[in-house]
Amino acid sequence: MITLEASSKTPIYEQIIEGVKALVMMGKMHPHEQLPSVRRLARELGINPNTVQKAYARLRGENLIYSVAGKGDFVADNASRIRDMKRDEIREMFIAATRAARDAGMWTDEIFQLVDEAYSSR
Amino acid sequence: MITLEASSKTPIYEQIIEGVKALVMMGKMHPHEQLPSVRRLARELGINPNTVQKAYARLRGENLIYSVAGKGDFVADNASRIRDMKRDEIREMFIAATRAARDAGMWTDEIFQLVDEAYSSR
Amino acid sequence: MITLEASSKTPIYEQIIEGVKALVMMGKMHPHEQLPSVRRLARELGINPNTVQKAYARLRGENLIYSVAGKGDFVADNASRIRDMKRDEIREMFIAATRAARDAGMWTDEIFQLVDEAYSSR
Amino acid sequence: MITLEASSKTPIYEQIIEGVKALVMMGKMHPHEQLPSVRRLARELGINPNTVQKAYARLRGENLIYSVAGKGDFVADNASRIRDMKRDEIREMFIAATRAARDAGMWTDEIFQLVDEAYSSR
DNA sequence: GTGGTCTAGACCACC
DNA sequence: GTGGTCTAGACCACT
């Protein structure tokens, strides 16, 4: 369910974090649902368990998942706030892109058209 | 004319590259105009000459500047294409952001408002 | 597998680049095969790791290799185009040489004989 | 009569040397004909007289020109051997190109055709 | 262990 | 003075 891009410059553990967030946000995983075990996911992705461990630790640090000793990791109850966090990130993306566009001499019309196309594509 | 953000996680040499591109794009530097020498810019920015050298080498690799032995580095003739290159980059930023926004359940209205605010701010 | 010519005036890092290209072109290295690590190759060649790093960085800039953080560098998928790139370079060499030869009053017969000898020698 | 390419990586003084050789080889300058003075040529080319001086010094070192105190520099009598020197250089170009072509898997037929086209073009 | 970045200092050819 | 190359040594993040 999670796919990695080996040649990408974003670290694997971050790709895993984003992958989990995406699954929850798209409703493919729900609060209190169990995540694949560290070792299992590592095996499936063909990577080092330490890397998965690091990703889960970060997710735990953000209180997006919780651990139950001896049982495994589960999606947290408050996982719905992922949506808000994601929106904040996206806001920043648009702000940065818009400033760059303005500096490059693009007008808002051009941007709106671009967004429209991208939104309805694929 | 070029400023560095020390706390940024983007490498210094890349900040220099972007700085030079921006100067050309904004019309503050023109084809065949001489760039500050490697040593001089390094002194001004308080960094190591090798770091500037690396930035200039990359710019040369993209044919955006050319070097004349014993004289210095100059803005390339075809540097006007920086504008188009930059626009392509910006297009990609908006496409990525828009797709992410759509996946996060945002509507185009929300995006348009966001862009409008960012465009007119500061 | 890569050998350096110390007395050559072409920079070491460029010799490395050509060496890697040659290995791929001759089929001694294949896409997704791992290159010797920066430090290891530096040790083997008796040079500074930074020099190898520079060579690999250039190869990466040409999309002939790709880096995976913490794992190493690998031959790119599209590395087969090295062959075509090399042929274009060779074409240019012959065109330049032929023009010079014509200007120097040499005939094609003379050139053909020269090529024949060089081709079958060593 | 001599033209320089500023952005070229071959040094200016070498471009001058090649320029003088070419003029003699093409019969546009003859033995005992006077060369432009150092200062004059420097002015015409918009470069530093030291650079022209260096080029003339090298040509003198190869006995291709001679100096007469108080009068200037002149094409040497034995300048006809420029042709032979040039041919040796060209031989080397073809040998290098042919070896590279062979290593890249090109056949002599392909080379011959390439040479033929280049020879009759322009 | 891996690659990526940066510094400090040196040497070279060219102008 | 200029850019180009190389070395030595350091620190960082990632696996």
Side-chain angles (χ1 to χ4, degrees):
Chain A
M1 268 175 152
I2 290 176
T3 60
L4 300 180
E5 197 180 350
S7 66
S8 167
K9 83 177 178 69
T10 73
I12 291 179
Y13 79 85
E14 211 166 314
Q15 294 187 44
I16 295 174
I17 292 174
E18 291 308 313
V20 172
K21 284 185 182 175
L23 286 176
V24 175
M25 208 179 61
M26 294 180 186
K28 295 189 181 172
M29 293 201 77
H30 302 91
H32 306 299
E33 185 177 345
Q34 184 166 10
L35 293 161
S37 80
V38 168
R39 284 201 279 275
R40 177 156 178 259
L41 184 54
R43 214 180 326 117
E44 282 179 359
L45 297 177
I47 61 178
N48 192 303
N50 287 331
T51 307
V52 178
Q53 183 63 33
K54 185 169 184 174
Y56 279 14
R58 300 273 178 129
L59 286 166
R60 222 176 293 125
E62 294 189 72
N63 289 318
L64 295 176
I65 69 176
Y66 63 92
S67 297
V68 177
K71 298 203 61 173
D73 296 85
F74 300 83
V75 176
D77 213 357
N78 63 2
S80 62
R81 69 192 178 83
I82 289 179
R83 207 178 209 80
D84 297 327
M85 292 168 51
K86 201 73 186 174
R87 288 197 179 211
D88 284 347
E89 284 175 28
I90 292 167
R91 271 182 57 90
E92 295 304 324
M93 287 173 74
F94 275 111
I95 291 173
T98 302
R99 295 229 168 101
R102 187 186 52 192
D103 291 348
M106 290 172 67
W107 301 104
T108 48
D109 316 43
E110 200 173 343
I111 296 172
F112 290 166
Q113 188 187 343
L114 197 54
V115 169
D116 252 338
E117 286 172 14
Y119 198 91
S120 47
S121 82
R122 196 166 24 130
Chain B
M1 270 176 150
I2 290 177
T3 60
L4 298 181
E5 198 179 347
S7 67
S8 168
K9 83 179 178 69
T10 74
I12 296 177
Y13 78 85
E14 215 167 307
Q15 294 186 44
I16 295 174
I17 292 174
E18 290 309 314
V20 172
K21 284 186 182 175
L23 286 176
V24 174
M25 208 181 59
M26 295 179 185
K28 294 188 181 174
M29 294 204 77
H30 301 91
H32 304 297
E33 186 176 345
Q34 186 164 8
L35 294 161
S37 83
V38 169
R39 290 164 172 81
R40 178 156 178 260
L41 184 55
R43 219 181 317 121
E44 284 178 357
L45 297 177
I47 60 176
N48 189 290
N50 280 333
T51 305
V52 178
Q53 177 72 20
K54 186 171 183 173
Y56 280 13
R58 297 263 182 141
L59 287 166
R60 201 176 325 110
E62 294 190 68
N63 288 319
L64 295 177
I65 69 175
Y66 64 94
S67 300
V68 179
K71 299 203 68 171
D73 294 81
F74 302 82
V75 176
D77 215 355
N78 64 2
S80 61
R81 70 195 178 81
I82 288 181
R83 204 179 206 81
D84 296 327
M85 290 168 51
K86 200 74 185 175
R87 288 197 175 214
D88 284 347
E89 283 177 30
I90 292 168
R91 272 182 57 90
E92 294 304 324
M93 287 173 74
F94 275 111
I95 290 173
T98 301
R99 295 230 169 102
R102 188 185 52 191
D103 291 347
M106 291 172 68
W107 301 103
T108 49
D109 315 45
E110 200 173 345
I111 296 172
F112 290 166
Q113 189 187 342
L114 196 55
V115 169
D116 251 338
E117 285 172 14
Y119 197 94
S120 48
S121 81
R122 196 161 27 124
Chain C
M1 269 175 150
I2 290 176
T3 60
L4 298 181
E5 197 179 348
S7 67
S8 168
K9 86 178 177 66
T10 74
I12 296 176
Y13 77 86
E14 216 167 307
Q15 295 186 44
I16 295 174
I17 292 174
E18 291 309 313
V20 172
K21 284 186 183 176
L23 285 176
V24 175
M25 207 180 60
M26 294 181 186
K28 296 188 180 173
M29 295 203 75
H30 301 93
H32 304 298
E33 187 176 344
Q34 187 164 8
L35 293 160
S37 84
V38 169
R39 290 164 172 80
R40 178 156 179 259
L41 184 55
R43 217 182 319 120
E44 283 178 358
L45 297 178
I47 60 176
N48 189 291
N50 280 333
T51 306
V52 177
Q53 177 72 19
K54 186 171 185 173
Y56 280 14
R58 297 264 180 138
L59 286 166
R60 199 175 327 110
E62 294 190 68
N63 288 320
L64 295 177
I65 70 176
Y66 65 92
S67 299
V68 179
K71 298 202 69 170
D73 295 82
F74 302 82
V75 176
D77 215 355
N78 64 3
S80 61
R81 68 194 179 82
I82 289 180
R83 203 176 206 83
D84 296 327
M85 290 168 51
K86 202 74 186 176
R87 288 197 176 214
D88 284 348
E89 283 176 30
I90 292 168
R91 271 183 57 92
E92 294 304 325
M93 288 174 74
F94 274 111
I95 290 173
T98 302
R99 294 231 168 100
R102 188 186 51 191
D103 292 347
M106 290 172 68
W107 301 104
T108 49
D109 314 44
E110 200 173 345
I111 296 172
F112 290 167
Q113 189 189 341
L114 196 55
V115 169
D116 251 338
E117 285 172 13
Y119 197 93
S120 46
S121 83
R122 197 165 25 129
Chain D
M1 270 176 150
I2 290 176
T3 59
L4 300 180
E5 196 180 350
S7 66
S8 166
K9 82 176 180 67
T10 72
I12 293 180
Y13 78 86
E14 211 166 313
Q15 294 187 44
I16 295 174
I17 293 174
E18 290 308 313
V20 172
K21 284 185 182 176
L23 286 176
V24 175
M25 209 179 60
M26 295 181 187
K28 296 189 181 174
M29 293 201 76
H30 301 90
H32 306 299
E33 186 176 344
Q34 184 165 9
L35 293 160
S37 82
V38 168
R39 284 202 279 275
R40 176 154 178 261
L41 184 54
R43 214 181 325 117
E44 283 178 359
L45 297 177
I47 61 178
N48 192 304
N50 287 331
T51 307
V52 177
Q53 183 62 35
K54 185 168 184 174
Y56 280 15
R58 299 273 178 129
L59 286 166
R60 221 176 293 122
E62 294 190 72
N63 288 318
L64 295 176
I65 69 176
Y66 63 92
S67 297
V68 177
K71 299 202 63 173
D73 296 84
F74 301 82
V75 176
D77 213 357
N78 63 2
S80 63
R81 70 193 177 83
I82 289 179
R83 209 177 208 81
D84 297 328
M85 292 168 51
K86 200 73 186 175
R87 288 195 177 211
D88 284 347
E89 285 175 29
I90 292 168
R91 271 182 57 91
E92 294 305 324
M93 289 174 73
F94 274 111
I95 290 173
T98 301
R99 295 230 168 100
R102 187 186 53 192
D103 291 347
M106 290 172 68
W107 301 103
T108 48
D109 315 45
E110 201 173 343
I111 296 172
F112 290 165
Q113 187 188 343
L114 196 55
V115 169
D116 251 338
E117 285 172 13
Y119 197 93
S120 47
S121 81
R122 198 173 23 131

